[in-house]
C-alpha cells in the first residue's frame, strides 16, 4: 500500500492493478465486470480491515486447549453508495459474512455534477460499528462527501471508504472535508474530463455493473 495523505492509501498490490486493467477494457461485459468488481473489493477489503480488533478465546484443538484470536466488537456495517457501490458488497461480505448492510442512495446531476440523496437506511447502533462505505468511483468527491456526512449525522464514527478508481481532485476534497475517514483507493487516475468522468477511468460504473447502457 502507498500512503497518499494521512489516512489515505492507494492499494498498489499487483493483483488489484491487474484486475483494474480488466475493468477498464471497454470490451469487458457485464457478467465479467461484476465478478471483477467483487474480487477487487475483497482484495481491498482485506487491506482496509487489517486493524480490526481481536480478542482471545479458548479453543480446543485435537491436541490441546489454547487461547486463539477472533474478531471482537460489534458486527461491521457495509454501506454501499447506490447504485454502483452495491457491486462491491459481495466482496466485503466474503470476508465478513455476518456484517450488517446499510444503503445510501445518491445520484449525480448530469449537468451540475452535484450529488442528490434519495435513500438512507443504516444498521443500528451505527455509532458502535466500524463502517465500510463502498463506491467504485470517486470523481469530484461530491457523492462520497455527502454520503459520509449523512452517516456521521446518524452517529457513525469509525468510517473506512473504499473506491476502485479515483481522480486526484476528488481524493483531495474528500480528505479535506473528512480527514478522519480512512480512504482506500485502487488506482489514482489522471484527471476528470468536462463531463466530470474519470480519465482514463472505466466509464459509468453503475451502467457497466447493471448493464443499463
Ligand atoms: C457515480 C459513482 C459515484 C459518483 C461519483 O454514481 O458510482 O457515486 O458517480 O461521482 P462524484 O465523485 O463526482 O460524486 P452515479 O451518480 O452515476 O449513480 P449510479 O451509481 O446510480 O449510476
Ligand atoms: N461516475 C462514474 O461511474 N464514472 C466516472 O468516471 C465518474 C463518475
Amino acid at each position: 500500500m502507498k500512503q497518499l495523505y494521512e489516512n489515505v492509501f492507494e492499494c498498489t498490490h499487483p493483483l488489484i492493478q491487474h484486475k483494474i486493467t480488466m475493468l477498464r477494457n471497454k470490451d469487458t461485459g457485464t457478467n465479467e465486470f461484476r465478478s471483477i468488481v467483487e474480487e477487487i473489493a475483497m482484495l481491498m477489503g482485506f487491506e482496509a480491515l487489517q486493524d480490526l480488533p481481536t480478542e482471545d478465546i479458548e479453543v480446543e484443538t485435537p491436541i490441546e486447549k489454547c487461547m486463539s484470536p477472533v474478531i471482537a466488537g460489534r458486527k461491521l456495517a457495509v454501506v454501499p453508495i447506490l447504485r454502483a457501490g452495491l457491486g462491491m458488497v459481495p466482496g466485503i461480505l466474503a470476508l465478513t459474512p455476518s456484517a450488517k448492510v446499510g444503503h445510501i442512495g445518491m445520484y449525480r446531476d448530469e449537468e451540475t455534477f452535484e450529488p442528490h440523496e434519495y435513500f438512507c437506511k443504516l444498521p443500528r447502533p451505527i455509532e458502535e460499528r466500524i463502517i465500510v462505505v463502498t463506491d467504485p468511483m470517486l470523481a469530484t468527491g461530491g457523492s462520497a462527501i455527502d454520503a459520509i456526512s449523512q452517516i456521521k449525522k446518524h452517529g457513525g464514527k469509525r468510517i473506512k471508504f473504499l473506491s476502485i478508481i479515483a481522480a486526484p481532485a476528488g481524493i483531495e476534497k474528500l480528505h479535506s472535508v473528512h480527514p478522519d475517514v480512512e480512504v482506500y483507493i485502487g488506482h489514482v487516475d489522471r484527471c476528470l474530463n468536462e463531463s466530470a468522468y474519470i480519465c482514463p477511468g472505466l466509464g459509468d460504473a453503475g451502467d457497466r455493473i447493471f448493464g443499463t447502457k
Side-chain angles (χ1 to χ4, degrees), residues 20-46:
I20 289 175
T21 301
M22 294 165 83
L23 283 189
R24 292 190 195 280
N25 187 338
K26 64 179 172 44
D27 295 328
T28 299
T30 304
N31 191 359
E32 198 186 352
F33 192 92
R34 223 179 256 153
S35 305
I36 300 168
V37 166
E38 219 175 292
E39 290 166 10
I40 294 173
M42 188 170 71
L43 293 170
M44 290 181 65
F46 184 77

Side-chain angles (χ1 to χ4, degrees), residues 81-84 106-108 135 137-143 204 206:
I81 300 178
L82 307 183
R83 291 176 302 162
M106 310 280 299
Y107 73 88
R108 212 169 65 141
D135 191 332
M137 308 306 278
L138 179 69
T140 65
S143 304
D204 188 306

Side-chain angles (χ1 to χ4, degrees), residues 17-28 33 37 40 108 136-139 163-168 185-193 196-206 208:
Q17 299 311 312
H18 177 91
K19 289 173 192 292
I20 289 175
T21 301
M22 294 165 83
L23 283 189
R24 292 190 195 280
N25 187 338
K26 64 179 172 44
D27 295 328
T28 299
F33 192 92
V37 166
I40 294 173
R108 212 169 65 141
M137 308 306 278
L138 179 69
S163 192
I164 297 176
I165 293 186
I185 305 293
H187 194 270
V188 181
D189 271 16
R190 198 177 68 251
C191 62
L192 295 174
N193 67 14
Y197 270 78
I198 300 173
C199 305
L202 50 71
D204 188 306
R208 294 198 65 187

